[in-house]
Amino acid sequence: MFRAYIWSLSLLTAMAAGAWYFYKPIRLLAPSFNDVVCFNHYICAENPASIKVAARLYAKAADILQESIAKFDTPPKVIFCETSACVKRFGFNDDDNARTVGSIAILVGPKGWQAKELVHMMVHYSVNSRLGEWHDSAVPLWFTEGLAYRLTQTGGGDVSMAASKNYQIQFERWYKTVEPSRFWESARAL
């Protein structure tokens, strides 16, 4: 019995180490193990001298989002990177402005230190946390990108500006048919 327990514990430890090594986005769960400093549970930065700037950017973006229909229940963890090496430690390309990983965290790259960019990613975080991690297979892209574009007037990631505007048009058409108090319930039904 004791041997089985030790074997199970060893297997779990090996699986966790393998995930940490091979699936780098999992490192967002414990960013301080990756050469970033955490100001609190929600704000981390590669450069300790940038924590105040990161905190102001976070507060501004969160205020914008909290005043909108996309407000979040639990604030997102955001890791602010200033170098491409930092971004790569978490498994992403250095040309990404920012990335949202489910409802785990948001990673901001060197080019993403802008309120609109962070609001856009916080919208994706809010959708993920309210509709589930794997909503992408069920919720249309026009909903998530249209909502994000509505609040920021910016495209995101691989989505062109023309596509973003088209998604916003589709989103606005849908939004006109939804009772505001039932917004998230209606979104789940898409």
Side-chain angles (χ1 to χ4, degrees):
M1 175 93 157
F2 183 71
R3 283 186 182 166
Y5 173 76
I6 295 297
W7 185 84
S8 297
L9 189 58
S10 298
L11 181 62
L12 285 174
T13 302
M15 288 172 56
W20 189 267
Y21 183 76
F22 291 110
Y23 184 68
K24 292 180 180 180
I26 202 164
R27 297 175 181 182
L28 293 167
L29 292 169
S32 58
F33 290 122
N34 290 281
D35 297 328
V36 298
V37 176
C38 293
F39 173 69
N40 57 28
H41 183 68
Y42 304 109
I43 303 169
C44 302
E46 176 184 20
N47 180 356
S50 300
I51 288 284
K52 287 183 181 178
V53 173
R56 281 194 299 271
L57 182 59
Y58 186 103
K60 183 177 181 179
D63 285 348
I64 291 168
L65 196 72
Q66 290 300 89
E67 293 173 5
S68 75
I69 52 179
K71 63 182 85 178
F72 40 75
D73 294 328
T74 304
K77 178 184 294 185
V78 179
I79 294 92
F80 292 88
C81 289
E82 291 184 18
T83 65
S84 59
C86 175
V87 174
K88 288 178 181 179
R89 278 194 301 274
F90 292 98
F92 297 103
N93 296 320
D94 60 348
D95 59 342
D96 289 335
N97 288 350
R99 286 287 202 160
T100 301
V101 178
S103 59
I104 295 172
I106 297 168
L107 180 70
V108 177
K111 300 176 207 166
W113 289 58
Q114 305 161 32
K116 283 186 173 187
E117 187 71 39
L118 190 52
V119 170
H120 192 103
M121 292 301 121
M122 285 181 169
V123 167
H124 291 301
Y125 170 87
S126 184
V127 171
N128 292 340
S129 63
R130 288 177 178 269
L131 300 182
E133 299 297 318
W134 312 111
H135 73 274
D136 287 343
S137 60
V139 178
L141 189 58
W142 63 259
F143 175 83
T144 56
E145 289 299 331
L147 175 57
Y149 187 85
R150 180 180 205 256
L151 297 177
T152 63
Q153 300 299 302
T154 61
D158 300 329
V159 180
S160 71
M161 195 57 81
S164 293
K165 288 182 181 181
N166 186 38
Y167 293 148
Q168 184 193 17
I169 290 167
Q170 288 179 275
F171 175 83
E172 294 297 340
R173 196 175 302 138
W174 172 81
Y175 185 62
K176 288 177 183 176
T177 67
V178 174
E179 185 178 319
S181 64
R182 301 187 71 219
F183 177 80
W184 290 108
E185 183 181 331
S186 298
R188 277 186 203 90
L190 289 172

